[in-house]
Amino acid sequence: RRTPGHLSKDVVPSHYALALELDPALDTFRGRLEITLRVHRPVSTIEIHAHELDAESASLRGAAGVRALGVTARPESQTWVLAPGDGAGIGPGVYRLGVVYRGVVHRSAEGLYRAEYTHKGQPQRTLATQLKHFTERLTRVEVHLKDQNSRKKNGVDKHCLIEARPRGLDPIAAEHDAP
């Protein structure tokens, strides 16, 4: 069972949570990814998309507890293959996959890159990205930002929702609340 790409349909994601640690002054960034997924049939590995990223750690949380995963990068397919460190397979069920990773902030307009500009005569830096390599696979990406209680000065009041619409598939969304 395969998806339109090459990832197995035996492992199906249902929710993504992504946290990025970004600083325009640095040449690298860190990220944490959590994916809720359902394994339909026993598998020996899980494969996910990952391009130009280095995994620091990976784990799989299921009903029986947490298992460490080894990560093998496959640059030719822009994926990581995650395998349990104990060598045992992954049985059917619902799991939470966690990965901590790092990546490079590019100096040219590819991937995540640093953009320099001038504001009020002062040089500034920001981080940017472009989605041109996804144009054949995505019909639209929407980013919704909301200040949920703008009058209050404490608590979690910022909400961000990003929704990607892959061509011919259901939309994929990620959201986060912050102070």
Side-chain angles (χ1 to χ4, degrees):
R1 299 183 336 163
R2 308 298 280 177
T3 60
H6 61 273
L7 300 182
S8 170
K9 285 187 178 176
D10 292 331
V11 179
V12 179
S14 62
H15 184 265
Y16 294 81
L18 177 66
L20 297 173
E21 297 172 19
L22 303 169
D23 183 340
L26 300 178
D27 292 331
T28 60
F29 67 94
R30 290 187 78 220
R32 287 185 321 277
L33 169 67
E34 288 191 7
I35 304 173
T36 302
L37 47 87
R38 178 176 295 281
V39 175
H40 292 286
R41 294 189 311 182
V43 295
S44 58
T45 62
I46 296 172
E47 188 173 1
I48 62 173
H49 289 288
H51 183 54
E52 295 182 342
L53 300 173
D54 295 313
E56 293 182 3
S57 65
S59 64
L60 189 65
R61 179 181 305 274
V66 179
R67 298 167 69 188
L69 300 175
V71 181
T72 302
R74 289 194 175 157
E76 70 283 356
S77 61
Q78 299 179 0
T79 60
W80 284 338
V81 176
L82 302 111
D86 58 16
I90 302 166
V94 176
Y95 296 89
R96 188 92 162 152
L97 171 65
V99 182
V100 177
Y101 61 92
R102 65 186 180 290
V104 174
V105 175
H106 295 276
R107 295 193 180 275
S108 61
E110 64 177 287
L112 180 65
Y113 65 95
R114 181 178 298 119
E116 298 186 7
Y117 65 99
T118 303
H119 178 69
K120 296 184 180 180
Q122 297 296 315
Q124 304 287 319
R125 289 181 175 170
T126 190
L127 297 175
T129 190
Q130 53 185 327
L131 301 172
K132 71 179 182 180
H133 57 284
F134 292 111
T135 56
E136 291 184 19
R137 294 186 278 179
L138 288 176
T139 60
R140 186 169 74 230
V141 174
E142 295 180 7
V143 178
H144 303 272
L145 301 172
K146 183 178 181 182
D147 187 345
Q148 300 183 110
N149 56 356
S150 61
R151 292 176 184 82
K152 297 179 183 176
K153 298 294 182 196
N154 55 12
V156 175
D157 66 342
K158 307 296 187 281
H159 182 78
C160 176
L161 171 69
I162 301 174
E163 182 179 85
R165 295 183 176 264
R167 190 174 310 282
L169 300 171
D170 292 333
I172 300 170
E175 58 186 311
H176 183 72
D177 293 312

